[in-house]
Amino acid sequence: SAYLSISGMAKAYRGTPALKSVDLDVNEGEFVALLGPSGCGKSTLLRLVAGLLEPDEGTITLADQRIGHLPAYKRDIGLVFQNYALFPHMTVARNVRFGLDMRNMPRAEAETRVADALALVKLEHLAARMPSELSGGQQQRVALARAIAIRPRLLLLDEPLSNLDAVLRASVRTELRELHARTGLTIVMVTHDQVEAMTMADRIAVMSDGEVLQHDTPQQIYEQP
Ligand code: ADP
Ligand code: ADP
């Protein structure tokens, strides 16, 4: 069975369906993009997987474990949103350590993980800086480091590039691909940008109006008439 398996997932807001019985399988180590126009339900699906929203119906399994009943912090899922929301009064290193401190990780191991995570996003040299001293792209990479420091079983990215200017977007795009290649992390990324999905993802789940219409490789999708 698939590493992440979403089955019959449905969600309505005050009676208006946002997701209509979505099924989606993601293999271990895969980079999947959820692609579709604004309002089609991408964020809702991501939030349901993360445990930030309760579904009306449906099940989620991760590594053969049912996780639907688990609170967000027990799912071992890393999250990065478009408004990367670092803590402004904490250094970069403290920001990355935050999730580890929340889990009461011993200091030595936490420091090793912070160093490893910052190295993965190539920001070791900025560990002692404050977020306000960093560019938008660097801040987004700190948010990524914070998410991967917990060694998540799954990394969820909600429009991670949309607040960056074109130059930064290109470099963070490349870095995300490299991060995926180096870590083998399973990634699900929300985007409304077709080029982003095509160039970054192994497979694309094309969404429209609360449904997944197609889930194929970029090449298969591109070759559709
Ligand atoms: P996307 O991420 O593709 O832009 P969303 O999942 O954010 O789509 O939204 C799907 C639909 O659900 C939209 O019609 C949106 O307006 C609606 N919606 C999302 N969140 C809420 C909410 N908290 N309350 C009411 N409606 C919502
Ligand atoms: P996204 O860009 O992820 O689709 P939005 O900017 O649409 O998110 O929404 C941001 C927040 O507002 C989310 O928490 C979402 O649940 C909520 N939201 C979105 N649409 C609606 C809506 N129609 N009514 C109430 N809340 C909404």
Side-chain angles (χ1 to χ4, degrees):
S1 62
Y3 182 65
L4 169 67
S5 185
I6 297 164
S7 180
M9 193 57 57
K11 178 72 183 175
Y13 298 101
R14 284 178 233 100
T16 305
L19 277 186
K20 305 166 187 168
S21 194
V22 162
D23 299 326
L24 186 70
D25 281 350
V26 176
N27 297 320
E28 186 162 15
E30 218 178 0
F31 190 145
V32 167
L34 303 181
L35 173 69
S38 179
C40 73
K42 306 181 296 297
S43 293
T44 297
L45 184 55
L46 208 70
R47 282 163 206 265
L48 288 166
V49 173
L52 303 176
L53 267 184
E54 288 273 328
D56 299 331
E57 288 174 62
T59 58
I60 308 174
T61 63
L62 181 61
D64 291 323
Q65 186 198 5
R66 291 280 287 262
I67 61 167
H69 60 290
L70 293 177
Y73 74 97
K74 287 202 175 154
R75 296 189 182 195
D76 287 328
I77 293 176
L79 287 169
V80 179
F81 294 106
Q82 60 179 277
N83 54 341
Y84 20 82
L86 302 177
F87 302 109
H89 59 289
M90 292 183 194
T91 64
V92 164
R94 283 288 311 288
N95 265 283
V96 176
R97 234 181 78 174
F98 185 79
L100 307 179
D101 291 342
M102 293 287 285
R103 288 168 172 75
N104 293 315
M105 187 168 292
R107 191 191 176 102
E109 188 182 354
E111 282 174 359
T112 303
R113 285 204 188 189
V114 169
D116 288 352
L118 285 174
L120 272 171
V121 299
K122 299 178 190 138
L123 285 181
E124 308 99 303
H125 59 297
L126 298 180
R129 297 281 186 87
M130 301 305 281
S132 59
E133 301 174 283
L134 272 50
S135 72
Q138 289 169 335
Q139 290 185 44
Q140 188 57 302
R141 278 149 63 195
V142 176
L144 260 178
R146 184 171 60 185
I148 60 182
I150 64 165
R151 309 237 167 114
R153 297 189 290 177
L154 177 66
L155 184 60
L156 302 179
L157 310 173
D158 194 347
E159 300 270 5
L161 310 178
S162 67
N163 277 356
L164 306 176
D165 67 40
V167 174
L168 280 177
R169 198 176 305 147
S171 73
V172 176
R173 188 193 286 178
T174 306
E175 278 157 18
L176 272 174
R177 277 302 315 173
E178 287 176 7
L179 179 78
H180 177 248
R182 282 198 303 269
T183 59
L185 269 167
T186 309
I187 300 180
V188 178
M189 179 183 79
V190 162
T191 182
H192 62 266
D193 185 323
Q194 198 170 343
V195 173
E196 219 168 271
M198 291 282 184
T199 56
M200 294 175 72
D202 300 322
R203 279 201 295 168
I204 301 174
V206 180
M207 293 186 64
S208 172
D209 202 13
E211 298 181 290
V212 173
L213 302 181
Q214 191 180 5
H215 187 202
D216 277 320
T217 64
Q219 190 177 2
Q220 285 167 325
I221 287 172
Y222 186 71
E223 285 169 357
Q224 298 280 320

